[in-house]
Amino acid sequence: MNNHRSYLPYLALAAVCIIWGTTYLALRIAVLHFPPFLFTAIRQVTAGTLLMVVMLTLGKARFPGADHIWRQAIGGFFMISMGNGLVAWGEMHVPSGVAAIICSLMPVMVILINVAIHRDERPTLPIIAGVTLGLAGVVLLFSEHVAAFANSGYTLAVVSIFSAVIAWAGASIWIKKKHTETNPFVNASLQMFFGGVFLIPFSLAFENLNDITWSAEVTGSLLYLILVGSLIAYASYAYALRKLPMTIVSLYAYVNPLVAILLGWMVLDEKLNARIWIAMMVTIAGIYIVNRGYQLRKVWRAQVSAGR
């Protein structure tokens, strides 16, 4: 039973890797037809409410106290309002593949923040090498899209999405540090709900809400992103974040672009050549090295502790 449970966090992380790789395309389709801040607010408030109702109905959790709700609301602002909201806005101006490239910088940002403020998770040389190799693979994978950054029209969108990456990485570390014994799915529901609520003022201030049209593309994207992208994947992310080291959890950002490429090839007959295969292998190698680095660090720590 314990052995079975030990695999659950990795299964949750695998779900995040695959599902969030599909959401860039769904989000891109939606924001071309609908205000991005309002779309994200509707998506996350609905998903957060549904997840909380499910947890309370099943009797798997109690509604937390005010202090804990406040902490999750803060996390929701940075991870959902800033993280999802700014990416949605940015995808109005850049292709979903470019957004995926920028978001793949999240593991690098996690390491930089950890080095600065959290000594307990200082990366070892294999971890740094693995992250660097993985990032190189992602850059190679999207090298054709990277050239588009020379277009000055992308600048604000790039800054927006990069800011979202910083906010998401910082909030993930903060939530990990504020570890409590509360249910991770309840935490996820609160983060999504408040993150969506905090986006409503942004929508009122910056978006034209007079000409909203509910097309089939918008409705389909919304349902998919609520039920799969938010309800299943974000809850899985919250669970993995509770159970696994932050830098391992953050590796989903490397896998997401790979999923996007494969999905485009299978569904839309997009290009998949030898260069792309090489890039995928390089990225996977980076992920393996990071995981191996964490395993070695645990062994070294155990040996040091035993020698005292």
Side-chain angles (χ1 to χ4, degrees):
M1 185 68 172
N2 289 335
N3 187 49
H4 171 70
R5 288 183 176 180
S6 69
Y7 286 101
L8 291 179
Y10 291 97
L11 290 176
L13 182 57
V16 173
C17 291
I18 296 171
I19 293 171
W20 277 350
T22 69
T23 58
Y24 290 101
L25 178 60
L27 185 59
R28 170 73 169 167
I29 292 171
V31 300
L32 290 176
H33 301 87
F34 203 85
F37 290 142
L38 180 60
F39 180 86
T40 306
I42 295 172
R43 167 193 172 185
Q44 301 293 8
V45 168
T46 304
T49 302
L50 286 174
L51 183 56
M52 178 62 77
V53 169
V54 168
M55 296 307 299
L56 294 178
T57 301
L58 294 177
K60 298 295 184 179
R62 296 182 303 170
F63 200 79
D67 289 344
H68 184 73
I69 292 175
W70 175 243
R71 287 196 297 271
Q72 300 309 314
I74 294 173
F77 173 77
F78 287 102
M79 297 182 71
I80 301 299
S81 306
M82 299 290 289
N84 280 180
L86 291 179
V87 170
W89 185 89
E91 283 205 41
M92 288 195 305
H93 306 282
V94 302
S96 58
V98 173
I101 293 174
I102 303 170
C103 290
S104 72
L105 296 172
M106 205 278 286
V108 177
M109 192 56 58
V110 166
I111 284 182
L112 293 176
I113 295 174
N114 267 327
V115 167
I117 65 173
H118 196 194
R119 294 180 178 272
D120 290 344
E121 289 201 23
R122 278 187 179 275
T124 60
L125 184 59
I127 294 172
I128 294 174
V131 170
T132 302
L133 186 63
L135 181 60
V138 171
V139 171
L140 177 62
L141 183 64
F142 288 104
S143 56
E144 294 179 3
H145 294 284
V146 171
F149 288 118
N151 186 336
S152 60
Y154 283 21
T155 302
L156 190 55
V158 168
V159 171
S160 172
I161 298 173
F162 186 72
S163 299
V165 171
I166 297 174
W168 185 283
S172 295
I173 294 170
W174 183 76
I175 290 172
K176 183 76 174 177
K177 189 175 181 180
K178 295 289 183 180
H179 170 77
T180 65
E181 295 303 320
T182 55
N183 190 298
F185 300 110
V186 172
N187 294 347
S189 70
L190 292 171
Q191 291 160 18
M192 288 189 289
F193 177 82
F194 284 104
V197 168
F198 292 148
L199 277 171
I200 295 175
F202 285 86
S203 178
L204 294 174
F206 299 110
E207 296 178 331
N208 180 9
L209 304 181
N210 295 323
D211 300 319
I212 294 178
T213 302
W214 285 94
S215 63
E217 293 87 353
V218 172
T219 303
S221 295
L222 183 63
L223 290 175
Y224 177 79
L225 290 170
I226 287 174
L227 297 176
V228 182
S230 291
L231 196 60
I232 296 176
Y234 193 79
S236 298
Y237 179 76
Y239 180 75
L241 191 63
R242 164 76 76 84
K243 301 294 184 179
L244 299 174
M246 182 62 238
T247 312
I248 288 180
V249 175
S250 68
L251 290 174
Y252 76 85
Y254 284 155
V255 183
N256 288 169
L258 306 182
V259 173
I261 284 290
L262 290 173
L263 187 64
W265 173 66
M266 291 187 295
V267 178
L268 303 176
D269 197 28
E270 295 179 347
K271 182 168 61 176
L272 182 60
N273 54 28
R275 185 179 187 180
I276 293 174
W277 276 112
I278 293 171
M280 287 194 291
M281 294 302 101
V282 170
T283 304
I284 292 170
I287 294 172
Y288 171 79
I289 292 171
V290 171
N291 279 277
R292 186 59 179 165
Y294 260 102
Q295 292 171 3
L296 290 174
R297 189 173 70 168
K298 289 182 178 180
V299 171
W300 294 336
R301 284 181 173 176
Q303 291 174 346
V304 170
S305 298
R308 288 178 179 175

